[in-house]
């Protein structure tokens, strides 16, 4: 009986795992903010069925060992079933066996390399058919066919480059280099020299975290002009542009489901709420937005099930829709990935992305590229 | 925050609301089994004498072991629809081969210590759920592999029979799927089937 009485007032406890320190904190901290903004909004509106959401937040400090430890702690000591978290694929991969075995639900708000389907994950970032495909088509038709790949050395860049090679048929990959996730400016110098020597039409980067800043800054120092030879990326957001300097970022290209510059009433309101909470010079980005809207998906499902049990929550989440800042999105019931918009943005002097191409609607997630053709016809 | 007595934890250690069929002989301790499960707030349905076929709609079957128990289970081995906990009466030692072919998730030897039964049953259900999630995942992966294979084969057919190029063949499959409101895989499979039919 004690449990029944408590059930009416006790908060709904959820886990939050984003790095606030270490080499991934530039971007993961923005995901933490997106998560907290949504939780605040829900709590200000009275919580879910009269009970507030209470985040249990740990800082995994960009260390996969800590991701693993905290995921276990959340599920076995804090008795939590839904965890919002993870940016890198390697951190997702270490959390995955834990949530799968203990039947938790990991809400993963990050673009990734696809080729995964876990019944214990809701994927709310882009799969390759939603960002890489659009980027390939744009680059080949606007910049040329000779590509140079630079990536951080871990799962996501290597897998993404394998997929990009496949999507870029007819184009030529004239170089492929990897640097450590903790790469400093000097580590990019040999690559910069290689680019000067090979003269590609476009550079495709899957460098993430702090080293993104070092890459773009060494590129600027070497005197390259992004207007004629830009770095194209799926991961460089407004947050990284701000960290590297607006002048350094100007002219470079990113494909994403969301940019702060998207022109819609729901986005304008989202951006202004974010700035009010975190400061007027804090930009939003695709990772903030996914982290934000996935909490709303969760809360809506929770309102219906009134239970945190994964077995009850997940079927209600699958197939549900939400008017996100990027536009209307849905959780595709066939693969538990979100159907998201495809956008190509080019960074401007104000640190924002001018949107140069955009899909007409949300693109159905196809994480295994089972039926995505070679062309992103929607652009 | 106060700890609750029976937390609804992930992996569901709680048996609350679970429908559990108990088909155990009175002399093996059926009363104790039912009492323990009811204390954990499970919905218990008691069946005795042992029916020829056990029901398939329960969350967990707690059943008295016998050598021909596999014949009484309402499914083929490998296709179970409930977790199975086998109860072995006092002073009985089952043949290991017979026990294995029953494929239970857990075994309870009677007499059991007080209040240990609910834990064993919850564990059995958790094991069963995990296996099921893995099987669902494998099924989905198999389906994806079949789709990829079918799309590639159908594309090859379109390229050779219709003289399309790679790009046009993909586009054809996608457009057909969209127009007919079906999946690309279904269209691809239909093309392969009709091609094989016509030789």
């Amino acid at each position: 009986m004690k449990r029944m009485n408590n059930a009416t007032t006790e908060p709904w406890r959820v886990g939050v795992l984003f790095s606030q320190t270490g080499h991934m904190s530039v971007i993961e901290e923005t995901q933490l903010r997106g998560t907290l903004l949504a939780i605040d909004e829900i709590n200000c509106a009275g919580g879910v069925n009269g009970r507030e959401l209470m985040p249990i937040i740990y800082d995994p400090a960009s260390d996969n060992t800590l991701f693993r430890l905290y995921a276990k702690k959340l599920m076995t000591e804090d008795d939590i079933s839904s965890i919002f978290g993870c940016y890198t694929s390697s951190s997702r991969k270490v959390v995955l066996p834990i949530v799968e075995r203990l039947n938790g639900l990991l809400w993963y708000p990050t673009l990734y390399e696809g080729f995964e389907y876990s019944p214990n994950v809701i994927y709310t970032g882009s799969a390759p058919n939603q960002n890489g495909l659009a980027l390939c088509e744009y680059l080949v038709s606007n910049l040329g066919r000779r590509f140079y790949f630079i990536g951080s050395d871990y799962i996501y860049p290597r897998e993404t480059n394998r997929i990009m090679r496949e999507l870029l048929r007819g184009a030529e990959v004239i170089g492929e280099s990897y640097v450590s996730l903790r790469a400093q400016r000097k580590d990019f110098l040999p690559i910069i020299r290689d680019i000067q020597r090979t003269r590609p039409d476009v550079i495709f980067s899957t460098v993430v975290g702090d080293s993104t800043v070092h890459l773009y800054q060494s590129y600027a120092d070497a005197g390259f002009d992004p207007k004629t030879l830009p770095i194209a990326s799926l991961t460089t957001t407004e947050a990284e542009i701000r960290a590297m300097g607006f002048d350094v970022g100007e002219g470079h290209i990113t494909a994403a489901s969301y940019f702060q510059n998207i022109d819609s009433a729901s986005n304008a309101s989202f951006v202004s709420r974010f700035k009010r909470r975190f400061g007027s010079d804090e930009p939003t980005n695709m990772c903030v937005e996914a982290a934000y809207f996935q909490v709303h998906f969760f809360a809506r499902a929770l309102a219906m099930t009134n239970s945190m049990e994964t077995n009850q929550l997940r079927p209600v989440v699958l197939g549900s829709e939400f008017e996100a800042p990027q536009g209307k999105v849905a959780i595709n019931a066939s693969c538990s990935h979100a159907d998201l918009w495809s956008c190509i943005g080019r960074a401007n002097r104000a640190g924002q992305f001018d949107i140069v191409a955009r899909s007409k609607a949300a693109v159905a997630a196809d994480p295994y590229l089972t039926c995505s053709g070679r062309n992103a016809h929607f652009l | 925050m106060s700890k609750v007595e029976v937390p609804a934890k992930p992996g569901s250690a709680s048996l609350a609301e679970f429908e559990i069929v108990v088909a155990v002989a009175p002399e093996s301790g059926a009363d104790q089994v039912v009492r323990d499960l009811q204390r954990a707030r499970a919905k218990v349905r008691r069946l005795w004498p042992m029916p020829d076929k056990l029901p398939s709609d329960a969350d967990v079957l707690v059943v008295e072991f016998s050598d021909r128990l596999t014949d009484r289970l309402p499914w083929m081995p490998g296709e179970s629809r409930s977790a199975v906990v086998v109860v072995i009466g006092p002073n009985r030692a089952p043949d290991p081969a017979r026990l294995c072919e029953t494929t239970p998730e857990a075994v309870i030897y009677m007499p059991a210590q007080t209040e240990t039964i609910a834990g064993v049953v919850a564990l059995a259900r958790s094991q069963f759920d995990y296996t099921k999630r893995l099987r669902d995942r494998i099924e989905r992966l198999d389906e994806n592999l079949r789709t990829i294979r079918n799309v590639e084969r159908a594309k090859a057919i379109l390229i050779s029979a219709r003289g399309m190029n790679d790009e046009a063949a993909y586009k054809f499959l996608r457009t057909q799927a969209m127009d007919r409101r079906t999946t690309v895989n279904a269209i691809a499979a239909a093309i392969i089937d009709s091609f094989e039919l016509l030789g």
Side-chain angles (χ1 to χ4, degrees):
Chain A
M1 280 327 283
K2 190 176 166 194
R3 180 170 179 265
M4 297 307 284
N5 291 337
N6 284 348
T8 54
T9 53
E10 253 187 44
W12 302 105
R13 302 194 310 152
V14 295
V16 180
L17 280 187
F18 295 111
S19 302
Q20 297 166 52
T21 51
H23 59 278
M24 293 312 300
S25 58
V26 169
I27 191 71
E28 292 193 33
E29 208 155 22
T30 71
Q31 291 179 308
L32 174 62
R33 289 176 178 166
T35 306
L36 294 179
L37 180 66
I39 290 176
D40 279 0
E41 280 177 13
I42 290 157
N43 287 341
C44 285
V48 177
N49 298 344
R51 298 166 60 180
E52 68 169 5
L53 295 181
M54 182 200 271
I56 310 293
I57 304 168
Y58 295 116
D59 174 15
S62 312
D63 179 347
N64 289 341
T65 310
L66 292 177
F67 270 99
R68 193 197 305 260
L69 284 175
Y70 286 136
K72 180 183 170 211
K73 184 168 160 51
L74 281 168
M75 296 209 63
T76 61
E77 288 178 41
D78 301 321
D79 291 347
I80 271 164
S81 55
S82 268
I83 299 174
F84 302 99
C86 297
Y87 175 83
T88 63
S89 286
S90 41
S91 67
R92 185 189 71 257
K93 293 272 188 204
V94 299
V95 169
L96 202 61
I98 300 165
V99 293
E100 287 193 339
R101 183 59 192 92
L102 299 176
N103 202 18
L105 204 51
L106 173 67
W107 298 76
Y108 179 59
T110 312
L111 69 140
Y112 85 114
E113 65 280 5
F115 292 86
E116 191 176 287
Y117 163 73
S118 169
N120 294 95
V121 181
I122 305 289
Y123 306 80
T124 57
S126 301
N129 80 300
Q130 295 166 311
N131 57 4
L133 200 56
L135 186 63
C136 286
E137 182 166 279
Y138 180 83
L139 296 175
V140 168
S141 19
N142 291 282
L143 290 159
R145 295 181 166 268
R146 300 177 72 247
F147 279 69
Y148 194 102
F149 289 176
I150 314 176
S152 298
D153 196 3
Y154 76 110
I155 307 167
Y156 167 74
R158 288 190 178 270
E159 281 302 298
T160 300
N161 284 340
R162 189 179 59 75
I163 295 161
M164 289 295 273
R165 274 178 187 275
E166 194 187 315
L167 297 176
L168 279 169
R169 283 192 316 182
E172 192 188 352
V173 181
I174 58 172
E176 183 166 350
S177 301
Y178 294 92
V179 293
S180 151
L181 267 167
R182 290 171 188 76
Q184 298 300 310
R185 221 186 248 222
K186 64 176 169 42
D187 300 310
F188 288 103
L189 296 180
I191 298 174
I192 298 283
R193 279 196 293 276
D194 202 33
I195 293 170
Q196 280 163 336
R197 189 178 59 78
T198 52
R199 301 179 153 274
D201 296 327
V202 55
I203 293 154
F204 174 61
S205 163
T206 42
V207 171
V208 303
D210 280 351
S211 36
T212 308
V213 171
H214 301 309
L215 164 66
Y216 285 71
Q217 285 177 348
S218 359
Y219 191 76
D221 288 350
F224 286 110
D225 180 7
K227 289 191 183 61
T228 51
L229 180 56
I231 299 175
S233 159
L234 303 170
T235 44
T236 302
T237 72
E238 292 85 342
E240 285 85 358
I241 296 282
R242 181 174 171 228
M244 69 182 69
F246 297 167
D247 53 333
V248 171
E250 186 181 10
H252 293 297
I253 292 172
T254 296
S257 51
Y258 169 89
F259 291 109
Q260 182 179 309
N261 247 357
I262 282 174
D263 184 17
S264 75
S266 77
N267 185 41
S269 140
F270 167 66
V271 172
S272 84
R273 274 174 286 138
F274 186 83
K275 287 183 183 296
R276 203 177 313 137
R277 172 85 154 76
F278 297 108
S280 57
D281 57 343
E282 284 293 329
T284 59
N285 65 59
M286 59 170 138
C287 297
V288 173
E289 193 242 11
Y292 167 83
F293 78 66
Q294 70 173 12
V295 175
H296 281 285
F297 269 107
F298 161 79
R300 285 186 173 196
L302 180 60
M304 288 167 78
T305 60
N306 208 35
S307 160
M308 296 283 288
E309 283 282 328
T310 299
N311 288 351
Q312 297 189 42
L313 211 49
R314 185 172 179 273
V316 176
V317 174
L318 296 184
S320 61
E321 294 180 340
F322 182 72
E323 194 63 51
Q326 69 182 271
K328 189 189 254 186
V329 297
I331 306 298
N332 193 314
S334 71
C335 57
S336 46
H337 285 60
D339 295 341
L340 300 170
W341 295 66
S342 289
C343 282
I344 309 287
R346 194 154 199 171
N348 61 28
R349 188 42 82 102
Q352 293 300 318
F353 285 87
D354 295 326
I355 291 155
V356 295
R358 186 160 189 246
S359 60
K360 298 185 189 77
V363 178
D366 182 15
Y368 286 85
L369 293 171
T370 49
C371 39
S372 298
R374 302 296 195 250
N375 271 334
H377 299 290
F378 39 80
L379 284 175
Chain B
M1 193 166 309
S2 64
K3 271 270 175 194
V4 290
E5 283 169 5
V6 187
K9 283 173 64 162
S12 199
S14 162
L15 290 178
E17 305 301 307
F18 271 50
E19 293 195 9
I20 300 176
V21 162
V22 175
V24 175
E27 59 273 23
S28 295
D31 285 347
Q32 186 194 347
V33 173
V34 169
R35 208 169 42 240
D36 260 26
L37 294 176
Q38 282 175 339
R39 191 175 293 131
R41 295 189 291 121
K43 292 183 192 161
V44 179
R45 188 165 20 136
R46 198 165 170 170
L47 294 180
W48 197 262
M50 175 74 89
D52 288 343
K53 274 288 175 230
L54 287 154
S56 62
D57 57 351
D59 293 312
V60 186
L61 293 179
V62 181
V63 289
E64 178 91 20
F65 181 77
S66 63
D67 278 352
R68 298 309 309 162
L69 182 55
T70 52
D71 297 342
R72 296 178 191 271
L73 292 173
W75 48 67
M76 299 304 283
E79 297 174 356
S80 57
R81 291 194 291 281
S82 314
V84 174
V85 177
V86 153
V87 172
I88 293 163
N91 305 316
R92 292 192 57 200
D95 178 67
R98 299 286 87 76
L99 183 58
C100 285
E101 68 193 24
T102 316
T103 68
E105 271 73 25
V107 178
I108 299 172
Y109 285 88
M110 300 299 281
Q113 286 185 39
T114 332
E115 293 186 32
T116 55
I117 292 171
V120 175
V121 171
L123 172 67
R125 181 64 204 188
S126 156
Q127 286 294 125
F128 175 81
D129 282 345
Y130 179 52
T131 312
K132 183 168 184 310
R133 287 197 300 278
L134 291 179
R135 273 166 45 177
D136 288 349
R137 185 172 176 176
I138 291 167
E139 211 167 276
R140 201 61 71 100
L141 289 174
D142 288 348
E143 179 62 27
N144 283 330
L145 287 176
R146 274 194 296 274
T147 301
I148 292 169
R149 173 81 181 136
N150 283 346
V151 168
E152 289 304 314
R153 284 184 66 197
K155 215 181 57 180
I157 291 169
L158 291 171
I159 289 169
S160 72
R162 291 278 193 93
M164 290 181 177
N165 65 23
D166 195 85
E167 205 62 59
Y170 255 117
K171 201 172 170 184
F172 178 82
L173 291 173
R174 275 165 57 118
T175 314
Q176 289 292 317
M178 258 184 253
D179 290 352
R180 289 158 202 257
R181 292 170 196 277
T182 180
T183 61
V184 172
N185 187 30
I187 296 293
I191 289 173
I192 295 164
D193 284 350
S194 60
F195 183 76
E196 283 173 353
L197 193 69
L198 295 172

